[in-house]
Amino acid sequence: MTLRASTHDGTHPRPTMMRETWSSLDGSWAFAHDDDGVGLAERWFEPSQAEAFDREITVPFVPESEASGIHEPGFHPIVWYRRTITASAEPGRRVLLHLGAVDHEAHIWVDGRLAGHHVGGQTAFSCDLTDLLDAGEEHVVVVRAFDDPHDVELPRGKQDWREEPHGIWYHRSTGIWRSVWLETVGEQHVTAFHSDFDMPRACVTVSLRLARRPEPGTTVRIALVAGEERLGAVEVAAHDTRVETTVDVPAVRNTQDRDRLLWSPEHPHLVDVSLEVLRDGEVVDAAASYLGLRTTGIDRGWFLLNGEPYFVRSVLEQGYWPSSHLTAPSLEAYRAEVELIKELGFTAARIHQKVEDPRFLFWADTLGLLIWGETANAYSYSPRAVGALMGEWTEIVEQVRPHPSVVTWVPMNESWGVRDLADHAPQKDLTIALTAVTRALDPSRPVVANDGYEITGGDILALHDYTTDAEILARRYRDEAAVQDVVESRGPQGRRPIDDAAQHVTDGAPVMITEFGGIAYAAEGTWGYATVTTAEEFEEKVGGLFAALNASPVLAGHCYTQLTDTLQEANGLADAQRRPKLDAARIRALVTGRP
């Protein structure tokens, strides 16, 4: 294995499926706004239409952001990108264009020919350019993105429908907001891979997809290596585009010794995965991935990691930067973000109303941070909204699933998009269906049916409680009887914690306070659930809330709102530049309850 994904430097746009033959297209592109929608009629996708692109933008930063070089945050529903690339179609090889995410609908042309179309602003997609390339090595790629800033039926998360951000909402993100890259692959190659660890059986179940239906004589070879230790390997015949098999891991059978191989925040051991596709014994595709030998579950009120109770100390991560918005200002910033979260004493992060970049997840995998995988929600309910959310969520689970750090799924937050759930059966049914679909897509992780309140099922009672009075917070969760009173009441947020017509909540579901805090320590005009003006007040207020929840013998975890200040939402433990508002060691002591 020449390429080892687990020890990579974190620059590859898709760290769970790496090949050596790739090149980044991030950087300068020609750019144009198309507010009047004339670009299609005027055929801006033709190579001869270069004069239509009157600006330059730095990809992958959105045009609303300063980092893009455009910095126009107003309403611009249609944007165009243009770039000349160098590529050639070699016999037996394919040229793929990968786009990490384009918000919200994208059309892609190469040399004036339509190469692809994708809907969904949070997921990656690819276009095969091979058969569309003109003669020569230089080719013109054009991307058109459409994102209606007023469409509240589409998943939009924290993107404000008003022109200026207000309350808890932020600037919009239009167009390309994750990396763009080229890759050369064989005619037959692996397009997707994920695995699940079966600890009692000491094996890993593997599922992968091939680009096309395999010809006779096609096999897939999979090898697992931890450091210099070869853990297991298998070679199986490929009869369809989906290949599923099991790799035995004998080293795990010694239950007194297996902990050295298990993945956890304290010991984030990663296993390198070698993936090879062979035709009549000859390798036609080779890719590198990785996995973590870990299991998740729930039992008797506990969240389980590797079969053991694990208290979840989490922080709400908005993943927003002042100059670059939902995209980190640099690749180094993804690692720094994970390191900051861990330095402040947290073992987990809830990625809020977005899907985070795979390179952030790579560092969570590598450094050891549990991730709650969420998605952006819509603001309105309709059959169209249901279809948009379901379709995008299905892609999200498939693409995020390979990361061992992701341990819980959160498809819905605080009834966003289903605000009338309690009185409208179809909206209730959507949250129930989302839970069922998520379990069908990935039965290996717990699912939160509706994070915050009006829970209609799922595996975790995830409650939000923004009281800023530590004594009240302590009383509410001091024992099982107090928690039961909360669950049977109107709820701390004024909405019933569990919906009256809820499907059966999993037996032994742990109770977690998955949003609390929100203390703003900042200037006038900012937003928070409570505001303080001195460091001493901030420490007292925040420390009291953590102490109240850490003292509860009933709770299985909590999630503080939030990691950093974000625009007018100034309730972070750190400011927008990622500087902790108290000494980091002091915050860590408050979070953990240990000096």
Side-chain angles (χ1 to χ4, degrees), residues 461 476-477 479-489 497-498 554:
L461 293 180
R476 284 177 178 165
Y477 308 104
D479 53 33
E480 290 186 5
V483 171
Q484 190 62 32
D485 286 343
V486 170
V487 169
E488 294 177 354
S489 72
I498 299 179
V554 182

Side-chain angles (χ1 to χ4, degrees), residues 9-10 35 121-122 140 172 193 198 218 250 269 274 327 337 359 369 390 431 493 548 582:
D9 60 4
D35 295 346
Q122 302 178 88
V140 175
R172 289 159 299 285
F193 161 82
D198 189 329
T218 300
H269 304 299
S274 171
T327 308
E337 195 85 340
R359 288 162 295 197
L369 183 70
M390 278 287 189
T431 67
Q493 297 305 109
L582 302 172

Side-chain angles (χ1 to χ4, degrees), residues 297-586:
I298 61 168
D299 181 56
R300 303 184 185 188
W302 280 100
F303 175 83
L304 301 182
L305 183 65
N306 298 326
E308 302 289 338
Y310 194 94
F311 190 86
V312 178
R313 293 196 307 272
S314 183
V315 67
L316 201 68
E317 163 67 306
Q318 307 286 3
Y320 187 98
W321 285 263
S323 66
S324 55
H325 298 190
L326 293 179
T327 308
S330 67
L331 295 184
E332 294 78 15
Y334 288 121
R335 175 171 186 156
E337 195 85 340
V338 174
E339 290 175 332
L340 174 63
I341 294 169
K342 289 180 66 72
E343 182 184 16
L344 297 184
F346 297 102
T347 58
R350 179 181 165 208
I351 310 302
H352 194 40
Q353 287 298 295
K354 67 176 288 196
V355 178
E356 196 46 272
D357 192 285
R359 288 162 295 197
F360 175 94
L361 298 177
F362 169 81
W363 288 116
D365 297 335
T366 302
L367 301 177
L369 183 70
L370 303 180
I371 299 295
W372 285 36
E374 196 168 322
T375 179
N377 292 141
Y379 301 164
S380 178
Y381 176 84
S382 71
R384 175 171 172 263
V386 172
L389 178 58
M390 278 287 189
E392 193 163 347
W393 180 243
T394 299
E395 282 192 60
I396 289 167
V397 172
E398 176 74 13
Q399 293 181 11
V400 175
R401 185 176 178 183
H403 292 276
S405 58
V406 178
V407 295
T408 305
W409 295 119
V410 186
M412 182 69 69
N413 172 69
E414 288 187 341
S415 302
W416 283 26
V418 287
R419 198 67 178 168
D420 302 311
L421 177 156
D423 304 307
H424 190 237
Q427 296 185 26
K428 195 190 317 287
D429 289 339
L430 173 57
T431 67
I432 295 170
L434 274 169
T435 302
V437 165
T438 306
R439 286 171 170 161
L441 294 170
D442 178 15
S444 71
R445 293 171 169 92
V447 183
V448 176
N450 184 14
D451 204 288
Y453 41 70
E454 296 174 335
I455 295 167
T456 55
D459 304 308
I460 296 172
L461 293 180
L463 306 178
H464 295 179
D465 192 332
Y466 278 112
T467 180
T468 57
D469 187 318
E471 291 184 4
I472 294 175
L473 200 63
R475 284 200 303 271
R476 284 177 178 165
Y477 308 104
R478 65 189 174 200
D479 53 33
E480 290 186 5
V483 171
Q484 190 62 32
D485 286 343
V486 170
V487 169
E488 294 177 354
S489 72
R490 187 63 185 177
Q493 297 305 109
R495 301 177 79 89
R496 61 187 72 169
I498 299 179
D499 186 75
D500 288 347
Q503 295 279 310
H504 177 66
V505 178
T506 304
D507 288 338
V511 180
M512 298 187 190
I513 309 305
T514 51
E515 286 188 29
F516 78 103
I519 308 301
Y521 169 30
E524 184 179 351
T526 55
W527 187 92
Y529 287 94
T531 301
V532 297
T533 58
T534 68
E536 291 76 19
E537 286 182 283
F538 185 68
E539 179 173 349
E540 180 181 4
K541 196 67 132 174
V542 171
L545 297 179
F546 273 109
L549 296 186
N550 284 335
S552 170
V554 182
L555 298 179
H558 49 61
C559 179
Y560 185 82
T561 302
Q562 59 191 7
L563 179 65
T564 67
D565 291 350
T566 308
L567 298 179
Q568 69 282 352
E569 192 178 7
N571 51 12
L573 293 172
D575 64 17
Q577 286 70 43
R578 277 53 186 173
R579 295 172 300 207
K581 295 180 180 178
L582 302 172
D583 181 79
R586 184 58 192 146

Side-chain angles (χ1 to χ4, degrees), residues 258-287:
R258 70 185 181 192
D259 287 359
R260 67 184 178 85
L261 296 172
L262 301 185
W263 186 97
S264 70
E266 293 72 28
H267 304 285
H269 304 299
L270 292 177
V271 175
D272 282 294
V273 180
S274 171
L275 302 170
E276 294 179 317
V277 182
L278 301 90
R279 175 75 193 283
D280 296 329
E282 180 183 352
V283 176
V284 297
D285 181 48

